[in-house]
Amino acid sequence: MSLLDSFSFQVAEEPTDERTVFQKLGALHLLTALALVAALAVGALLRRRRQPPPPIAPAKRTDGDGLTVFYASQKGHSKNFAERLVAEAHGRGVAAAAVDLATADPDRLVEHPRAVFIVATYAGGSAVPGTEGFFAECTEMSRDFRVEKTLLAPLSYAVFGCGNSEYPKKDFNACARKLDRAMRLLGARRLLPRREGDDLDNALGEQFDAWRPDFWRAHDRAFGAAAAAAAARGDEAYPAGQAGGRDA
Protein backbone atom coordinates (compact mmCIF):
# COMPACT_ATOMS: atom_id res chain seq x y z
CA MET A 1 0.00 0.00 0.00
CA SER A 2 1.33 3.45 -0.95
CA LEU A 3 1.66 6.33 1.53
CA LEU A 4 -1.28 8.11 -0.15
CA ASP A 5 -3.45 5.02 0.08
CA SER A 6 -2.56 4.64 3.73
CA PHE A 7 -3.51 8.27 4.47
CA SER A 8 -6.83 7.88 2.64
CA PHE A 9 -7.65 4.72 4.64
CA GLN A 10 -7.01 6.46 7.96
CA VAL A 11 -9.18 9.43 7.01
CA ALA A 12 -11.99 7.13 6.02
CA GLU A 13 -11.79 5.22 9.28
CA GLU A 14 -11.66 8.18 11.69
CA PRO A 15 -15.39 9.24 11.39
CA THR A 16 -16.46 5.69 12.06
CA ASP A 17 -14.47 5.61 15.32
CA GLU A 18 -15.94 8.97 16.39
CA ARG A 19 -19.50 7.77 15.80
CA THR A 20 -18.77 4.68 17.85
CA VAL A 21 -17.58 6.83 20.74
CA PHE A 22 -20.70 8.98 20.64
CA GLN A 23 -22.91 5.90 20.45
CA LYS A 24 -21.23 4.46 23.52
CA LEU A 25 -21.61 7.76 25.40
CA GLY A 26 -25.28 7.92 24.44
CA ALA A 27 -25.90 4.38 25.67
CA LEU A 28 -24.11 5.18 28.93
CA HIS A 29 -26.26 8.29 29.46
CA LEU A 30 -29.40 6.27 28.76
CA LEU A 31 -28.44 3.58 31.27
CA THR A 32 -27.64 6.24 33.88
CA ALA A 33 -31.05 7.87 33.35
CA LEU A 34 -32.84 4.53 33.63
CA ALA A 35 -30.98 3.70 36.84
CA LEU A 36 -31.94 7.10 38.29
CA VAL A 37 -35.61 6.57 37.44
CA ALA A 38 -35.55 3.09 39.01
CA ALA A 39 -33.90 4.42 42.18
CA LEU A 40 -36.55 7.15 42.50
CA ALA A 41 -39.35 4.61 42.03
CA VAL A 42 -37.92 2.27 44.66
CA GLY A 43 -37.46 5.16 47.08
CA ALA A 44 -41.07 6.28 46.64
CA LEU A 45 -42.31 2.71 47.21
CA LEU A 46 -40.28 2.34 50.40
CA ARG A 47 -41.54 5.68 51.73
CA ARG A 48 -45.12 4.64 51.05
CA ARG A 49 -44.62 1.31 52.86
CA ARG A 50 -43.17 3.06 55.89
CA GLN A 51 -46.32 5.17 56.31
CA PRO A 52 -48.71 3.58 58.84
CA PRO A 53 -51.98 2.32 57.28
CA PRO A 54 -55.19 4.18 58.21
CA PRO A 55 -57.19 2.65 61.07
CA ILE A 56 -59.74 0.12 59.83
CA ALA A 57 -62.48 0.66 62.33
CA PRO A 58 -61.89 3.75 64.44
CA ALA A 59 -64.18 4.05 67.45
CA LYS A 60 -64.61 7.25 69.40
CA ARG A 61 -64.36 5.60 72.77
CA THR A 62 -63.18 7.37 75.87
CA ASP A 63 -62.44 4.53 78.24
CA GLY A 64 -61.68 1.24 76.48
CA ASP A 65 -64.91 -0.23 77.80
CA GLY A 66 -67.35 1.60 75.56
CA LEU A 67 -70.13 0.31 73.34
CA THR A 68 -69.43 -0.13 69.63
CA VAL A 69 -72.50 -0.30 67.40
CA PHE A 70 -71.60 -1.97 64.11
CA TYR A 71 -73.98 -1.67 61.19
CA ALA A 72 -74.39 -3.04 57.67
CA SER A 73 -76.89 -0.85 55.89
CA GLN A 74 -78.66 -1.39 52.59
CA LYS A 75 -81.45 1.20 52.64
CA GLY A 76 -80.15 3.30 55.52
CA HIS A 77 -82.23 1.69 58.27
CA SER A 78 -79.31 -0.02 59.99
CA LYS A 79 -77.16 3.10 59.99
CA ASN A 80 -80.01 5.19 61.36
CA PHE A 81 -80.71 2.66 64.12
CA ALA A 82 -77.02 2.51 65.02
CA GLU A 83 -76.76 6.29 65.32
CA ARG A 84 -79.88 6.40 67.46
CA LEU A 85 -78.55 3.71 69.79
CA VAL A 86 -75.24 5.56 70.11
CA ALA A 87 -77.06 8.79 70.99
CA GLU A 88 -79.09 6.92 73.60
CA ALA A 89 -75.91 5.41 75.04
CA HIS A 90 -74.37 8.87 75.38
CA GLY A 91 -77.48 10.01 77.21
CA ARG A 92 -77.00 7.15 79.63
CA GLY A 93 -73.37 8.06 80.24
CA VAL A 94 -71.98 5.17 78.16
CA ALA A 95 -69.16 5.91 75.71
CA ALA A 96 -70.27 4.67 72.28
CA ALA A 97 -69.53 4.90 68.56
CA ALA A 98 -71.17 3.69 65.35
CA VAL A 99 -68.93 1.81 62.90
CA ASP A 100 -69.74 0.68 59.35
CA LEU A 101 -68.97 -3.03 58.93
CA ALA A 102 -67.55 -2.18 55.51
CA THR A 103 -64.57 -0.69 57.39
CA ALA A 104 -64.39 -3.23 60.22
CA ASP A 105 -61.73 -5.91 60.73
CA PRO A 106 -62.86 -9.18 62.38
CA ASP A 107 -59.37 -9.62 63.84
CA ARG A 108 -59.93 -6.49 65.92
CA LEU A 109 -63.32 -7.41 67.36
CA VAL A 110 -61.60 -8.48 70.56
CA GLU A 111 -60.78 -4.80 71.09
CA HIS A 112 -64.50 -4.06 71.49
CA PRO A 113 -65.74 -5.51 74.81
CA ARG A 114 -69.35 -4.43 74.17
CA ALA A 115 -70.83 -4.59 70.69
CA VAL A 116 -74.17 -4.40 68.95
CA PHE A 117 -74.54 -5.61 65.37
CA ILE A 118 -77.40 -4.06 63.40
CA VAL A 119 -77.26 -5.77 60.03
CA ALA A 120 -79.34 -5.88 56.89
CA THR A 121 -79.44 -8.81 54.48
CA TYR A 122 -79.14 -8.24 50.74
CA ALA A 123 -80.93 -10.10 47.96
CA GLY A 124 -80.48 -13.86 47.98
CA GLY A 125 -79.39 -13.88 51.61
CA SER A 126 -76.08 -12.21 50.81
CA ALA A 127 -74.26 -9.51 52.72
CA VAL A 128 -74.73 -5.83 51.95
CA PRO A 129 -72.24 -4.78 49.24
CA GLY A 130 -68.99 -3.72 50.84
CA THR A 131 -69.44 -5.91 53.92
CA GLU A 132 -69.04 -9.33 52.27
CA GLY A 133 -65.44 -9.67 53.45
CA PHE A 134 -66.34 -9.10 57.09
CA PHE A 135 -69.07 -11.76 57.13
CA ALA A 136 -67.01 -14.24 55.13
CA GLU A 137 -64.00 -13.89 57.43
CA CYS A 138 -66.09 -14.23 60.58
CA THR A 139 -67.64 -17.42 59.24
CA GLU A 140 -64.26 -18.78 58.18
CA MET A 141 -62.71 -18.02 61.56
CA SER A 142 -65.55 -19.80 63.35
CA ARG A 143 -64.97 -22.94 61.27
CA ASP A 144 -61.16 -22.93 61.28
CA PHE A 145 -59.84 -25.52 63.76
CA ARG A 146 -56.67 -23.45 64.13
CA VAL A 147 -58.60 -20.51 65.63
CA GLU A 148 -59.18 -20.68 69.38
CA LYS A 149 -62.88 -21.00 70.17
CA THR A 150 -62.40 -18.61 73.08
CA LEU A 151 -60.99 -15.91 70.79
CA LEU A 152 -63.89 -13.53 71.44
CA ALA A 153 -64.54 -14.48 75.07
CA PRO A 154 -64.02 -10.85 76.20
CA LEU A 155 -66.80 -9.68 73.85
CA SER A 156 -70.44 -9.26 74.92
CA TYR A 157 -72.75 -8.63 71.99
CA ALA A 158 -76.28 -8.33 70.67
CA VAL A 159 -77.69 -8.71 67.16
CA PHE A 160 -80.62 -6.91 65.56
CA GLY A 161 -81.39 -8.02 62.01
CA CYS A 162 -83.04 -5.86 59.38
CA GLY A 163 -84.81 -8.24 57.02
CA ASN A 164 -87.93 -8.66 54.94
CA SER A 165 -90.05 -11.81 55.00
CA GLU A 166 -90.93 -11.32 51.34
CA TYR A 167 -87.64 -13.08 50.71
CA PRO A 168 -87.49 -16.89 50.92
CA LYS A 169 -87.35 -18.22 54.46
CA LYS A 170 -83.73 -19.35 54.10
CA ASP A 171 -82.71 -15.81 53.08
CA PHE A 172 -84.71 -13.91 55.71
CA ASN A 173 -82.20 -12.19 58.02
CA ALA A 174 -79.56 -14.66 56.84
CA CYS A 175 -76.66 -12.34 57.65
CA ALA A 176 -77.90 -11.71 61.19
CA ARG A 177 -78.18 -15.46 61.75
CA LYS A 178 -74.75 -16.27 60.33
CA LEU A 179 -73.07 -13.52 62.32
CA ASP A 180 -74.78 -14.55 65.55
CA ARG A 181 -73.65 -18.13 65.05
CA ALA A 182 -70.07 -17.12 64.25
CA MET A 183 -69.86 -14.91 67.36
CA ARG A 184 -71.05 -17.74 69.62
CA LEU A 185 -68.70 -20.28 68.04
CA LEU A 186 -65.81 -17.91 68.71
CA GLY A 187 -66.72 -17.68 72.39
CA ALA A 188 -68.45 -14.29 72.54
CA ARG A 189 -71.21 -13.84 75.13
CA ARG A 190 -74.65 -13.01 73.75
CA LEU A 191 -76.43 -10.46 75.92
CA LEU A 192 -79.93 -11.38 74.72
CA PRO A 193 -81.56 -13.45 71.97
CA ARG A 194 -81.11 -12.26 68.40
CA ARG A 195 -83.99 -10.13 67.11
CA GLU A 196 -84.96 -10.56 63.48
CA GLY A 197 -86.71 -7.40 62.32
CA ASP A 198 -89.18 -7.62 59.44
CA ASP A 199 -89.74 -4.65 57.14
CA LEU A 200 -92.66 -6.31 55.35
CA ASP A 201 -95.20 -3.77 56.66
CA ASN A 202 -92.74 -0.89 57.08
CA ALA A 203 -92.73 -1.56 60.81
CA LEU A 204 -89.00 -2.06 61.22
CA GLY A 205 -88.57 1.17 63.18
CA GLU A 206 -91.29 0.18 65.63
CA GLN A 207 -89.68 -3.22 66.11
CA PHE A 208 -86.31 -1.62 66.77
CA ASP A 209 -87.84 0.73 69.34
CA ALA A 210 -89.47 -2.28 71.00
CA TRP A 211 -86.13 -4.11 71.12
CA ARG A 212 -84.11 -1.28 72.64
CA PRO A 213 -85.49 -1.59 76.20
CA ASP A 214 -84.67 -5.30 76.25
CA PHE A 215 -81.15 -4.55 75.07
CA TRP A 216 -80.56 -1.96 77.78
CA ARG A 217 -81.91 -4.25 80.48
CA ALA A 218 -79.54 -6.99 79.35
CA HIS A 219 -76.70 -4.49 79.09
CA ASP A 220 -77.32 -3.19 82.60
CA ARG A 221 -77.48 -6.70 84.05
CA ALA A 222 -74.16 -7.56 82.40
CA PHE A 223 -72.26 -4.39 83.19
CA GLY A 224 -73.87 -3.47 86.48
CA ALA A 225 -72.81 -0.46 88.46
CA ALA A 226 -71.78 2.00 85.74
CA ALA A 227 -74.93 1.61 83.69
CA ALA A 228 -77.14 1.45 86.77
CA ALA A 229 -75.64 4.71 88.01
CA ALA A 230 -76.64 6.41 84.77
CA ALA A 231 -80.20 5.19 85.18
CA ALA A 232 -80.22 6.42 88.80
CA ARG A 233 -79.42 9.93 87.57
CA GLY A 234 -82.83 9.98 85.93
CA ASP A 235 -81.89 9.09 82.36
CA GLU A 236 -84.65 7.65 80.19
CA ALA A 237 -83.54 4.05 80.55
CA TYR A 238 -86.43 2.04 79.20
CA PRO A 239 -88.65 3.57 76.52
CA ALA A 240 -92.08 2.03 76.18
CA GLY A 241 -92.41 -1.10 74.06
CA GLN A 242 -92.12 -4.86 74.19
CA ALA A 243 -89.60 -6.93 72.32
CA GLY A 244 -90.55 -10.20 70.73
CA GLY A 245 -87.25 -11.61 69.61
CA ARG A 246 -86.80 -14.89 67.82
CA ASP A 247 -83.87 -17.10 68.62
CA ALA A 248 -82.17 -19.96 66.86
Side-chain angles (χ1 to χ4, degrees), residues 220-246:
D220 291 356
R221 284 195 301 268
F223 296 99
R233 291 195 299 267
D235 296 339
E236 181 62 29
Y238 306 122
Q242 299 294 323
R246 281 179 286 181

Side-chain angles (χ1 to χ4, degrees), residues 21-234:
V21 170
F22 282 124
Q23 288 173 355
K24 290 181 178 180
L25 287 175
L28 180 61
H29 290 161
L30 178 60
L31 290 174
T32 302
L34 291 175
L36 179 60
V37 171
L40 291 173
V42 171
L45 179 61
L46 291 176
R47 285 194 298 274
R48 187 161 56 246
R49 286 184 176 179
R50 283 197 294 266
Q51 294 177 351
I56 296 177
K60 300 176 182 177
R61 289 158 48 192
T62 59
D63 57 13
D65 194 32
L67 174 68
T68 307
V69 185
F70 295 99
Y71 65 88
S73 191
Q74 177 185 355
K75 299 179 180 178
H77 293 313
S78 299
K79 181 179 180 181
N80 176 263
F81 294 163
E83 291 172 346
R84 287 171 55 192
L85 195 63
V86 165
E88 188 174 11
H90 290 165
R92 296 168 56 85
V94 177
V99 175
D100 189 343
L101 280 179
T103 68
D105 181 356
D107 290 332
R108 296 178 61 180
L109 283 176
V110 71
E111 300 175 13
H112 304 271
R114 312 183 207 180
V116 174
F117 297 93
I118 304 177
V119 297
T121 297
Y122 201 55
S126 60
V128 171
T131 67
E132 301 96 336
F134 178 88
F135 287 96
E137 188 169 346
C138 283
T139 299
E140 183 178 349
M141 288 168 59
S142 70
R143 295 173 176 173
D144 191 339
F145 70 92
R146 296 167 298 180
V147 177
E148 292 289 340
K149 295 307 178 257
T150 57
L151 177 67
L152 296 182
L155 172 65
S156 296
Y157 76 98
V159 176
F160 184 91
C162 299
N164 192 314
S165 58
E166 285 186 341
Y167 289 104
K169 185 176 180 180
K170 66 180 179 63
D171 297 335
F172 177 64
N173 272 301
C175 286
R177 297 178 183 180
K178 292 175 183 176
L179 181 62
D180 187 22
R181 176 176 174 79
M183 292 297 102
R184 284 187 289 154
L185 289 175
L186 290 170
R189 179 178 62 162
R190 188 167 60 175
L191 290 171
L192 73 167
R194 178 185 67 250
R195 176 64 194 267
E196 297 181 3
D198 188 354
D199 198 30
L200 179 63
D201 297 321
N202 296 316
L204 197 57
E206 297 175 9
Q207 296 165 21
F208 178 71
D209 288 339
W211 173 83
R212 282 168 37 233
D214 278 5
F215 165 72
W216 286 118
R217 291 188 184 98
H219 176 275
D220 291 356
R221 284 195 301 268
F223 296 99
R233 291 195 299 267

